[in-house]
Amino acid sequence: MFQTRPPWRPHPLSLLDEEVQALVDPGYLVRDGVLGEALSHAVELEARALVARGVLHPAGVSRASVLDSAVRSDEMTWLDRGNSGPATQALLDAMEALRKELNAQAYLDLTKFDVQLARYAGNGARYARHRDAFSDARQNRRVTAIYYANADWQPEQGGQLRVYPAGREPQDLAPLLDRMVIFLSDRLEHEVLPAFGDRIALTAWFYQAGL
Ligand code: OGA
Ligand code: NI
């Protein structure tokens, strides 16, 4: 059993030149081993404890105020420092470090981020192909960073993030423990394939100033 052992060391999150380049072409970047073994397990435990406490609610996509679970059948809640354990707070610190790093290395002007805990219960829950933002929308999400917390995820459990990079073949990315996938929110189309395992993701959406 992994223990949550505060205080966790701060986790610097610096981006290599080729990782910044990957955001443009092919349009996403995948980073494994973001927090390390012990901390990633602790994040998963904390997330699963929130799920067990019943604080998540159906995400859905609202269509005439009816939740359309054919589009999105996970359940979610918003995370902040107040409702997060110490390991999750270390992840929030890493996301803040990522915000600064994206501003410095990718010339973005990201001012803040929201973090969502999403859980696909394993009954074939999915999220149909979509983008997280539209360039003309008021909602100014610029960058999406998805952190997966699923130890021992097996290929037959599905639940991959399928990404559709422009002009390239789609790629399937398994929701493996301690993996982060980063992309521009209004650019990359993606979907979650039906998940036949209890699948946890913690997603940060970074916002740009003044849009
Ligand atoms: C989303 C989303 C992908 C994932 O919440 O917008 O696309 O892998 N999530 O959980
Ligand atoms: Ni999305």
Side-chain angles (χ1 to χ4, degrees):
M1 186 71 176
F2 287 86
Q3 292 298 320
T4 288
R5 298 173 309 182
W8 295 97
R9 276 184 297 108
H11 275 261
L13 213 160
S14 51
L15 296 173
L16 303 170
D17 286 350
E18 53 262 42
E19 289 179 308
V20 173
Q21 183 53 38
L23 285 175
V24 181
D25 181 21
Y28 64 94
L29 81 85
V30 183
R31 171 72 82 87
D32 286 308
V34 170
L35 299 180
E37 170 124 17
L39 182 48
S40 60
H41 276 98
V43 169
E44 176 164 9
L45 277 186
E46 289 179 3
R48 294 196 181 281
L50 282 177
V51 171
R53 273 172 42 203
V55 300
L56 277 62
H57 50 83
V61 170
S62 118
R63 195 170 282 182
S65 63
V66 176
L67 285 182
D68 189 346
S69 60
V71 176
R72 179 174 186 186
S73 44
D74 57 331
E75 45 179 7
M76 60 78 74
T77 193
W78 297 101
L79 294 179
D80 56 41
R81 290 187 183 271
N83 63 11
S84 301
T88 305
Q89 295 196 31
L91 173 63
L92 299 181
D93 290 342
M95 287 165 163
E96 170 61 12
L98 175 63
R99 183 186 72 81
K100 292 187 176 140
E101 185 72 359
L102 286 165
N103 285 347
Q105 304 297 331
Y107 306 104
L108 292 165
D109 187 16
L110 308 171
T111 51
K112 58 169 193 153
F113 59 96
D114 289 331
V115 181
Q116 175 181 293
L117 167 62
R119 180 228 186 186
Y120 294 73
N123 50 358
R126 60 192 288 272
Y127 193 163
R129 182 171 173 172
H130 67 281
R131 279 185 236 164
D132 287 354
F134 296 93
S135 4
D136 59 346
R138 286 184 99 85
Q139 186 177 49
N140 52 354
R141 286 177 175 172
R142 284 286 280 151
V143 174
T144 302
I146 310 174
Y147 180 81
Y148 297 107
N150 306 293
D152 305 318
W153 191 263
Q154 300 300 318
E156 61 270 20
Q157 292 176 300
Q160 299 93 336
L161 177 69
R162 178 168 288 173
V163 297
Y164 296 89
R168 294 184 182 239
E169 287 298 302
Q171 298 290 326
D172 290 348
L173 306 168
L176 303 179
L177 180 68
D178 212 18
R179 167 172 282 180
M180 191 180 267
V181 181
I182 307 171
F183 53 86
L184 299 180
S185 307
D186 65 351
R187 277 291 168 83
L188 188 74
E189 293 190 17
H190 56 281
E191 75 177 287
V192 178
L193 299 181
F196 300 99
D198 197 325
R199 178 193 192 272
I200 298 277
L202 299 94
T203 301
W205 285 287
F206 296 87
Y207 297 85
Q208 177 127 11
L211 288 181

